Amino acid sequence: MRFRFTLPLVACTLAVAGLAFGISIKDVVFTTKDAGKIVFSHKVHIGKKGIENNCKACHPAIFDMKKKVTYTMADMEKGKSCGACHTGKDGVFPLKDCARCHAVKEITYKVKSAGPTPFSHKKHLAKYSDCGACHPKLFKAGRNKPVTMAEMEKGKSCGACHNGKSAFSVDECARCHLVKEVGLTSKETGKIIFSHKLHAAKRKCGECHNKLYEAGRNKPVGMAAMEKGKSCGACHNGKGLFDVKQCAKCHPVKAVNFKVSGAGPVKFSHDVHLAMYSCNACHTKIFKAGRSARVVTMLEMEKGKSCGACHDGTKAFSVREDCVKCHDM
């Protein structure tokens, strides 16, 4: 009797030791055609409720190690393979939570006409947990054929949802395409800031891109060309929007302080002059933008140079007689 009790105890001990030390379990990596690589972790599953270190809970009833069988998601939804447990019941997540098994990542598309465009799986999965809403109806897993904005507007690709009803419309370009404030440097007029934020709040991106501007750096356009309707002048023509001739709306202007030897400092006010004249009345016919290396004398001004072009006693007070109007004496 003593021998009978001891033998089963030894056998049980050996069995447990075999499970602990004799059986090697490891993660299994499945490669799928349409959904990338999937990692199955034995370590995560073996201790779960319903399995509890019992390999027979899955083998060979659900997974036969002798047979190599491939199951589709449709098969799993019918209870095959992973679908036998992943039903959404008893605390086990359902199959439709695809990102729990399938690796998803943030994607950046390189768009020639609109620059790099990021797509966030994380943001979309937070709102639409069912990956089947997009895959494979709208997008195959992996690289897809590029789709134009015109096609999206007809319901293709992103446009299937981003139609202004299910989600914001694809014509709200700045919601996806990266836009930023653009700093332009002009030799004649200094730095100019173009605000995408300000313009995108009033206009659709398609009104400028790619009709007037390509995405990225464009060839500089002169003011003369703008006055003929090129570049900014296509809209800023005085009809509904300020005219490009109202230079100070875009170009930074400030008061200029001159140090004049023997006559005290002189302050030139752009604000005062802009209230009476347009910028091109002076620039660049009389003055170049920025500080000039050459100093103009009062004698030259009296002959019509520099300030004397206007301050001749006819158009404006004379530089000869009204010195104290400019010089701080």
Side-chain angles (χ1 to χ4, degrees), residues 39-79:
V39 177
F40 174 85
S41 173
H42 273 101
K43 185 178 179 180
V44 169
H45 286 75
I46 198 74
K48 294 291 183 181
K49 183 180 178 181
I51 299 177
E52 295 159 349
N53 298 317
N54 180 17
C55 300
K56 290 184 179 181
C58 297
H59 300 289
I62 300 172
F63 302 100
D64 194 335
M65 297 173 69
K66 295 179 181 180
K67 297 179 181 179
K68 292 184 178 180
V69 183
T70 302
Y71 293 100
T72 65
M73 287 302 296
D75 292 327
M76 292 186 191
E77 288 168 5
K78 293 176 182 177

Side-chain angles (χ1 to χ4, degrees), residues 32 53 150 195 220 261 264 312 320:
T32 67
N53 298 317
S195 173
S261 179
D312 56 1
R320 183 182 179 87

Side-chain angles (χ1 to χ4, degrees), residues 37-276:
K37 291 182 179 181
I38 305 150
V39 177
F40 174 85
S41 173
H42 273 101
K43 185 178 179 180
V44 169
H45 286 75
I46 198 74
K48 294 291 183 181
K49 183 180 178 181
I51 299 177
E52 295 159 349
N53 298 317
N54 180 17
C55 300
K56 290 184 179 181
C58 297
H59 300 289
I62 300 172
F63 302 100
D64 194 335
M65 297 173 69
K66 295 179 181 180
K67 297 179 181 179
K68 292 184 178 180
V69 183
T70 302
Y71 293 100
T72 65
M73 287 302 296
D75 292 327
M76 292 186 191
E77 288 168 5
K78 293 176 182 177
K80 298 286 185 180
S81 185
C82 304
C85 297
H86 288 281
T87 58
K89 299 176 182 178
D90 299 324
V92 181
F93 67 84
L95 291 170
K96 69 178 183 178
D97 288 355
C98 313
R100 299 287 292 270
C101 298
H102 296 276
V104 294
K105 59 183 180 179
E106 306 302 87
I107 300 170
T108 299
Y109 296 99
K110 293 181 180 180
V111 184
K112 185 179 179 181
S113 59
T117 308
F119 173 85
S120 173
H121 270 104
K122 186 177 180 180
K123 286 183 180 179
H124 285 75
L125 284 169
K127 295 183 178 180
Y128 309 98
S129 59
D130 184 9
C131 299
C134 296
H135 299 290
K137 296 175 185 177
L138 300 173
F139 305 98
K140 292 180 181 178
R143 191 171 293 278
N144 285 256
K145 183 181 177 182
V147 177
T148 65
M149 288 302 296
E151 289 176 305
M152 290 188 191
E153 288 170 5
K154 293 178 181 178
K156 298 288 185 181
S157 184
C158 304
C161 296
H162 289 281
N163 52 17
K165 297 176 183 177
S166 303
F168 65 84
S169 176
V170 289
D171 63 9
E172 294 183 50
C173 313
R175 299 285 292 270
C176 297
H177 296 283
L178 300 176
V179 295
K180 58 183 179 180
E181 307 303 84
V182 181
L184 306 171
T185 302
S186 170
K187 185 179 179 181
E188 293 82 12
T189 55
K191 290 184 178 180
I192 308 148
I193 301 298
F194 173 85
S195 173
H196 268 108
K197 185 178 180 181
L198 178 65
H199 286 75
K202 298 178 180 180
R203 302 283 177 175
K204 292 183 179 180
C205 299
E207 292 182 49
C208 295
H209 300 288
N210 290 303
K211 297 174 184 176
L212 300 173
Y213 307 99
E214 292 182 2
R217 190 169 292 279
N218 287 258
K219 185 179 178 181
V221 176
M223 288 302 297
M226 289 187 191
E227 289 173 9
K228 293 177 181 178
K230 299 289 184 181
S231 185
C232 304
C235 297
H236 289 282
N237 52 18
K239 299 175 182 178
L241 293 172
F242 66 84
D243 197 297
V244 288
K245 292 179 181 178
Q246 293 181 255
C247 313
K249 292 268 191 175
C250 298
H251 297 276
V253 293
K254 59 183 179 179
V256 183
N257 293 307
F258 296 97
K259 290 182 180 180
V260 184
S261 179
V266 179
K267 184 177 181 179
F268 174 86
S269 172
H270 271 103
D271 289 338
V272 170
H273 287 76
L274 284 171
M276 297 181 283

